[in-house]
Amino acid sequence: MTITGTILRTAIRMAVGAMLAGGLAASAPAVATEDTATRAAFTAGPLTAAPGTMVSGFLDIAEGVDTGTKVPVTIAHGAKPGPVLALIAGTHGYEYAPVIALHRVRRALDPSLLSGTVIMVHVANMPSFMERTVYRGPVDGKNLNRVYPGRADGTVSDRIAHAITAYVIAPADYVLDLHAGDGNEALRPYIYMPVTGDKAMDRAIRDMALAFGLDHIVIDDQRDMSARPTRYTDQTALVMGKPAITTETGQLGSVVEDWVGPAERGVWNILRHFSMIPGTATPVENPVWLTGYRVVTSPADGVFIPAVRDGYAVAAGGRLGVLQNLFGEPVATIRAPFDGIVNYVVATPPVRRGEPLAMVSRRADPPD
């Protein structure tokens, strides 16, 4: 059956309309099947790309209760039909490795050889990116990855999330939320693989996680698929019926090849996995499976001195580090909650009460 551009745009408007009405309705991922002769242009917000072309520009986040901003986006609309893949980087502005990885992908991706469409959000959180802030935006103090699906009448983080939900996540069939250790975090690369309880969806998510190619995969079975608001980028996609994973491929603001390379290779692997470009994906073999992750937070403001590094194995009660006051006096010993692997640890001294100090996950058997 041929799906015309009009029908596609109508379907997108219906999905966005349900989302804005408070529904975030779930539906099975749909792949366009129109032939090349009738293939329509692809539109996301103010950007429109003809088949076989690439267009870059901005989603304009207008001023509201606070200042506005712009979100840099590229659409690569393939000459041939295929799925719509959303790639979102820069949700946290100090997580640079995925931002640079998408720059490389944009330069090398040839839309004349592409089947389907790629929507690249180069920097989701421009206020944080330009001000080099960790976790939270400098304008409203909000964590962009905690306010989805956003609000058109909210603060700037809410409005960014609202625009990305409407113009990037809603028209996508699959979503990659590309992260790194924030500017204060030493992190060993890994993937969050959500578990939704829907067998077909979970198979698609697992296939994406393996195809991306990182050798540590966290089985994220702590999801509440009924929770509203959805809060997270990937959760928003999942509730709308779109398989999604979150990747972590860098640390401490570094853009060395060790961190940018895995993000870039992962994107190319996903494109091959969905047969959007020629070639075969090289999925990871025998990854380390992790589960039951716990983020250990700081009991007070102070100075954190870590005793472990990212990737270390720790025993239950093992020392993760020492929290000191501003005079260098010990305040608390921070200990591991169970036997496990350190996914990341805060590697810069200043911490505030309630902020993460480390994430620890248990080893797990491969999922069925």
Side-chain angles (χ1 to χ4, degrees):
M1 180 179 68
T2 297
I3 303 177
T4 67
T6 299
I7 294 174
L8 280 171
R9 286 190 291 271
T10 300
I12 291 168
R13 285 196 298 269
M14 291 174 63
V16 175
M19 178 265 304
L20 296 178
L24 276 174
S27 60
V31 177
T33 58
E34 79 274 24
D35 59 37
T36 302
T38 61
R39 184 159 171 73
F42 185 92
T43 296
L47 304 179
T48 296
T53 69
M54 181 182 293
V55 174
S56 294
F58 296 89
L59 301 181
D60 185 42
I61 311 301
E63 290 186 4
V65 297
D66 51 20
T67 186
T69 188
K70 293 181 181 292
V71 178
V73 173
T74 292
I75 300 172
H77 190 38
K80 294 171 285 187
V84 178
L85 174 65
L87 306 171
I88 303 172
T91 293
H92 297 126
Y94 217 128
E95 297 178 2
Y96 300 143
V99 174
I100 305 305
L102 286 193
H103 287 174
R104 293 181 179 182
V105 171
R106 179 184 178 276
R107 287 195 296 267
L109 186 62
D110 184 349
S112 70
L113 302 177
L114 178 67
S115 297
T117 305
V118 179
I119 312 171
M120 287 178 260
V121 176
H122 294 284
V123 182
N125 195 339
M126 281 294 289
S128 175
F129 182 76
M130 297 308 296
E131 295 296 330
R132 302 182 179 90
T133 62
V134 301
Y135 299 144
R136 300 177 183 275
V139 177
D140 56 12
K142 293 181 179 180
N143 184 333
L144 179 57
N145 207 28
R146 299 295 185 274
V147 300
Y148 275 87
R151 293 170 45 198
D153 60 351
T155 63
V156 66
S157 295
D158 300 314
R159 301 196 308 277
I160 292 170
H162 182 269
I164 291 175
T165 299
Y167 299 128
V168 179
I169 297 175
D173 298 310
Y174 304 95
V175 175
L176 284 185
D177 190 21
L178 302 162
H179 287 254
D182 218 319
N184 59 335
E185 294 172 347
L187 176 146
R188 192 192 192 289
Y190 64 93
I191 292 170
Y192 289 103
M193 186 189 77
V195 176
T196 69
D198 179 286
K199 290 185 178 180
M201 174 84 78
D202 289 344
R203 280 196 301 271
I205 294 168
R206 180 182 177 180
D207 289 346
M208 289 173 66
L210 290 170
F212 193 85
L214 300 184
D215 62 3
H216 280 55
I217 301 176
V218 176
I219 303 168
D220 189 357
D221 55 5
Q222 302 179 29
R223 299 295 181 128
D224 179 1
M225 294 299 291
S226 66
R228 300 293 185 277
T230 48
R231 300 187 71 202
Y232 305 100
T233 310
D234 64 355
Q235 182 85 356
T236 304
L238 296 171
V239 168
M240 297 175 76
K242 303 161 192 297
I245 60 174
T246 296
T247 66
E248 302 274 3
T249 55
Q251 59 171 261
L252 297 168
S254 175
V255 292
V256 299
E257 182 61 26
D258 285 350
W259 310 132
V260 177
E264 182 190 7
R265 289 192 295 273
V267 169
W268 292 119
N269 266 337
I270 290 293
L271 289 167
R272 295 185 186 102
H273 171 67
F274 289 127
S275 300
M276 297 177 73
I277 60 173
T280 303
T282 53
V284 63
E285 296 182 4
N286 301 315
V288 174
W289 293 96
L290 301 165
T291 191
Y293 65 89
R294 179 87 60 84
V295 175
V296 180
T297 59
S298 181
D301 293 356
V303 175
F304 182 60
I305 308 299
V308 296
R309 293 184 58 183
D310 45 301
Y312 272 29
V314 292
R319 192 170 62 135
L320 297 174
V322 175
L323 181 66
Q324 300 177 348
N325 64 22
L326 294 176
F327 301 99
E329 299 167 337
V331 173
T333 299
I334 309 302
R335 300 190 180 278
F338 43 73
D339 296 348
I341 302 293
V342 177
N343 299 104
Y344 68 77
V345 62
V346 167
T348 58
V351 295
R352 292 187 180 275
R353 178 184 178 89
E355 286 185 347
L357 296 178
M359 174 176 154
V360 181
S361 297
R362 292 186 173 94
R363 292 289 295 265
D365 294 326
D368 296 331

mmCIF file of all heavy atoms in Angstrom, residues 60 66 112 116 119 136 171 264 279 282 287 294 312 337 340:
data_model
loop_
_atom_site.group_PDB
_atom_site.id
_atom_site.type_symbol
_atom_site.label_atom_id
_atom_site.label_comp_id
_atom_site.label_asym_id
_atom_site.label_seq_id
_atom_site.Cartn_x
_atom_site.Cartn_y
_atom_site.Cartn_z
ATOM 1 N N ASP A 60 12.755 27.224 16.431
ATOM 2 C CA ASP A 60 12.741 28.471 17.191
ATOM 3 C C ASP A 60 11.901 28.289 18.451
ATOM 4 O O ASP A 60 10.712 27.987 18.364
ATOM 5 C CB ASP A 60 12.180 29.602 16.331
ATOM 6 C CG ASP A 60 12.258 30.942 17.022
ATOM 7 O OD1 ASP A 60 13.292 31.226 17.647
ATOM 8 O OD2 ASP A 60 11.278 31.706 16.946
ATOM 9 N N ASP A 66 10.185 33.307 30.119
ATOM 10 C CA ASP A 66 11.608 33.638 30.196
ATOM 11 C C ASP A 66 12.164 33.705 28.775
ATOM 12 O O ASP A 66 11.416 33.686 27.799
ATOM 13 C CB ASP A 66 12.381 32.645 31.087
ATOM 14 C CG ASP A 66 12.122 31.193 30.707
ATOM 15 O OD1 ASP A 66 11.672 30.947 29.559
ATOM 16 O OD2 ASP A 66 12.367 30.294 31.532
ATOM 17 N N SER A 112 21.333 10.782 -0.822
ATOM 18 C CA SER A 112 20.989 10.119 -2.074
ATOM 19 C C SER A 112 21.100 8.601 -1.956
ATOM 20 O O SER A 112 20.519 7.868 -2.766
ATOM 21 C CB SER A 112 21.889 10.619 -3.210
ATOM 22 O OG SER A 112 23.224 10.157 -3.058
ATOM 23 N N GLY A 116 14.860 6.132 3.961
ATOM 24 C CA GLY A 116 14.219 6.670 5.146
ATOM 25 C C GLY A 116 14.702 8.079 5.447
ATOM 26 O O GLY A 116 15.251 8.772 4.586
ATOM 27 N N ILE A 119 16.481 12.509 11.531
ATOM 28 C CA ILE A 119 16.343 13.822 12.161
ATOM 29 C C ILE A 119 17.430 13.914 13.222
ATOM 30 O O ILE A 119 17.423 13.143 14.185
ATOM 31 C CB ILE A 119 14.970 14.023 12.812
ATOM 32 C CG1 ILE A 119 13.838 13.619 11.873
ATOM 33 C CG2 ILE A 119 14.806 15.469 13.265
ATOM 34 C CD1 ILE A 119 12.468 13.605 12.547
ATOM 35 N N ARG A 136 21.578 20.969 34.781
ATOM 36 C CA ARG A 136 20.442 21.880 34.717
ATOM 37 C C ARG A 136 20.708 23.073 33.804
ATOM 38 O O ARG A 136 21.843 23.515 33.657
ATOM 39 C CB ARG A 136 20.084 22.381 36.123
ATOM 40 C CG ARG A 136 19.703 21.244 37.066
ATOM 41 C CD ARG A 136 19.429 21.760 38.464
ATOM 42 N NE ARG A 136 19.138 20.653 39.362
ATOM 43 C CZ ARG A 136 17.941 20.100 39.518
ATOM 44 N NH1 ARG A 136 16.908 20.589 38.832
ATOM 45 N NH2 ARG A 136 17.751 19.091 40.339
ATOM 46 N N PRO A 171 7.179 12.385 14.867
ATOM 47 C CA PRO A 171 7.259 11.817 13.510
ATOM 48 C C PRO A 171 8.242 10.665 13.372
ATOM 49 O O PRO A 171 8.321 10.061 12.303
ATOM 50 C CB PRO A 171 7.702 13.008 12.659
ATOM 51 C CG PRO A 171 8.443 13.895 13.587
ATOM 52 C CD PRO A 171 7.773 13.742 14.925
ATOM 53 N N GLU A 264 29.756 7.896 17.367
ATOM 54 C CA GLU A 264 29.622 7.933 15.915
ATOM 55 C C GLU A 264 29.429 6.529 15.342
ATOM 56 O O GLU A 264 28.529 6.295 14.521
ATOM 57 C CB GLU A 264 30.846 8.586 15.276
ATOM 58 C CG GLU A 264 30.726 8.690 13.773
ATOM 59 C CD GLU A 264 32.007 9.110 13.081
ATOM 60 O OE1 GLU A 264 33.061 9.200 13.757
ATOM 61 O OE2 GLU A 264 31.976 9.321 11.857
ATOM 62 N N GLY A 279 25.447 -1.816 3.882
ATOM 63 C CA GLY A 279 26.372 -2.419 4.827
ATOM 64 C C GLY A 279 25.656 -3.172 5.923
ATOM 65 O O GLY A 279 24.428 -3.172 6.030
ATOM 66 N N THR A 282 27.652 -4.082 13.010
ATOM 67 C CA THR A 282 28.562 -4.953 13.761
ATOM 68 C C THR A 282 28.157 -4.906 15.222
ATOM 69 O O THR A 282 28.734 -4.155 16.016
ATOM 70 C CB THR A 282 30.020 -4.506 13.594
ATOM 71 O OG1 THR A 282 30.133 -3.106 13.927
ATOM 72 C CG2 THR A 282 30.486 -4.701 12.160
ATOM 73 N N PRO A 287 27.999 -8.887 25.509
ATOM 74 C CA PRO A 287 28.144 -7.690 26.342
ATOM 75 C C PRO A 287 28.036 -8.034 27.818
ATOM 76 O O PRO A 287 27.515 -9.089 28.203
ATOM 77 C CB PRO A 287 26.966 -6.817 25.897
ATOM 78 C CG PRO A 287 25.933 -7.803 25.445
ATOM 79 C CD PRO A 287 26.712 -8.907 24.785
ATOM 80 N N ARG A 294 21.638 1.780 40.858
ATOM 81 C CA ARG A 294 21.346 2.725 41.941
ATOM 82 C C ARG A 294 22.249 3.942 41.807
ATOM 83 O O ARG A 294 23.471 3.791 41.671
ATOM 84 C CB ARG A 294 21.601 2.068 43.289
ATOM 85 C CG ARG A 294 21.365 2.970 44.510
ATOM 86 C CD ARG A 294 19.934 2.956 44.963
ATOM 87 N NE ARG A 294 19.533 1.610 45.332
ATOM 88 C CZ ARG A 294 19.771 1.060 46.547
ATOM 89 N NH1 ARG A 294 20.438 1.739 47.461
ATOM 90 N NH2 ARG A 294 19.359 -0.155 46.807
ATOM 91 N N TYR A 312 35.055 0.260 37.769
ATOM 92 C CA TYR A 312 35.553 -0.556 38.872
ATOM 93 C C TYR A 312 34.465 -1.508 39.362
ATOM 94 O O TYR A 312 33.276 -1.167 39.375
ATOM 95 C CB TYR A 312 35.959 0.323 40.050
ATOM 96 C CG TYR A 312 37.386 0.832 40.021
ATOM 97 C CD1 TYR A 312 38.064 1.041 38.830
ATOM 98 C CD2 TYR A 312 38.058 1.116 41.209
ATOM 99 C CE1 TYR A 312 39.358 1.517 38.818
ATOM 100 C CE2 TYR A 312 39.362 1.588 41.208
ATOM 101 C CZ TYR A 312 40.005 1.789 40.009
ATOM 102 O OH TYR A 312 41.294 2.262 40.001
ATOM 103 N N PRO A 337 26.068 0.461 47.578
ATOM 104 C CA PRO A 337 24.874 -0.159 48.162
ATOM 105 C C PRO A 337 24.826 -1.675 48.014
ATOM 106 O O PRO A 337 24.077 -2.345 48.722
ATOM 107 C CB PRO A 337 23.733 0.502 47.376
ATOM 108 C CG PRO A 337 24.348 0.871 46.062
ATOM 109 C CD PRO A 337 25.769 1.220 46.352
ATOM 110 N N GLY A 340 28.766 -4.713 42.782
ATOM 111 C CA GLY A 340 28.412 -4.301 41.434
ATOM 112 C C GLY A 340 29.539 -3.622 40.692
ATOM 113 O O GLY A 340 30.718 -3.750 41.053
#
